[in-house]
Amino acid sequence: MSVIVVSGTGTEIGKTVTTAAVAALALAAGRSVAVLKPAQTGVGPGEPGDVAEVQRLAGGRVTGAELARFPEPLAPATAARRAGLTPVTAADVVEAARKLDASHDLVLVEGAGGLLVHLDESGASLADAARELAAPVLVVTTPGLGTLNVTQLTGEALRARGIDCLGVVIGSWPAEPGLAERCNVAELPGVAGAPLLGAVPEGAGGLSGEEFRAAVPQWLGPELGGAWGGVSLP
């Protein structure tokens, strides 16, 4: 796999930290890595965005690319319209990913929000770009109540479009999981129709880059270059 699309079942669920974790493991294996953020919303000019956070956590050797930035924390299509700016299209994402793919071993395309969030007024989404790229999608989800429904919906949306779901990663696994988390971790692969490939601990984004890179092999499974063997349940 040279291009992986990192999407999620919602927003603020750990996509950026998960992207950084995958990037860090690839770099540790000697691969060259690029991270593409098609649309960065809710961040002003000159402020560090998701790409900068991935570079901080995974290491400066990550090539970063951002296609557009919109100031309000909204869906890309809405944010672009309200700002009077040109939106990003699925074709833009495909073109940028292919250019990066030509010079890198791995390209990670991190979406905004969920899989079907609109990029532009045509209703195009990250799923359209993934299908055109023939790229698998890594789905980041939450462990608590509600996750089974949205994870299954995301899996069904991928299958309906003929897109491969690489697997599911829990973007923020609590230090003290409750009943819902303990039950859901066993159910997620079945509802997703794809394997559970890791669980990033809550607060991982607050680590220093050195601490992050030292710990990341324990968070992701062998399919992603790590040594994770499942979550430990009390």
Side-chain angles (χ1 to χ4, degrees), residues 6 21 23 31 34 52 75 86 104 106-107 115 130 136 150 159 174 194 212 214 226:
V6 182
R31 304 174 75 188
T86 302
H104 294 81
L106 176 65
V107 178
L115 179 70
V150 290
R159 289 190 293 274
F212 184 90

Side-chain angles (χ1 to χ4, degrees), residues 37-126:
K37 183 75 175 183
Q40 176 71 69
T41 64
V43 178
E47 297 178 353
D50 292 342
V51 169
E53 181 65 359
V54 171
Q55 291 174 320
R56 182 186 74 82
L57 293 170
R61 289 181 294 149
V62 173
T63 299
E66 184 181 283
L67 299 186
R69 177 172 287 207
F70 309 114
E72 295 180 317
L74 303 168
T78 306
R81 183 177 65 250
R82 285 178 52 84
L85 297 172
T86 302
V88 174
T89 67
D92 294 333
V93 180
V94 171
E95 180 182 8
R98 284 177 173 162
K99 286 182 178 178
L100 291 168
D101 187 37
S103 57
H104 294 81
D105 298 321
L106 176 65
V107 178
L108 300 171
V109 183
E110 185 195 340
L115 179 70
L116 301 184
V117 169
H118 291 183
L119 293 172
D120 59 24
E121 296 301 330
S122 75
S125 68
L126 192 65

Side-chain angles (χ1 to χ4, degrees), residues 15-27:
K15 287 192 301 297
T16 299
V17 176
T18 299
T19 299
V22 176
L25 289 175
L27 287 171

Side-chain angles (χ1 to χ4, degrees), residues 14 31 50 59-60 68-69 73 77 102 104 111 123 134 139 164 166 203 206-207 222-223 233:
R31 304 174 75 188
D50 292 342
R69 177 172 287 207
H104 294 81
V139 176
D164 179 44
L166 179 62
L207 297 175
E223 301 88 343
L233 296 175

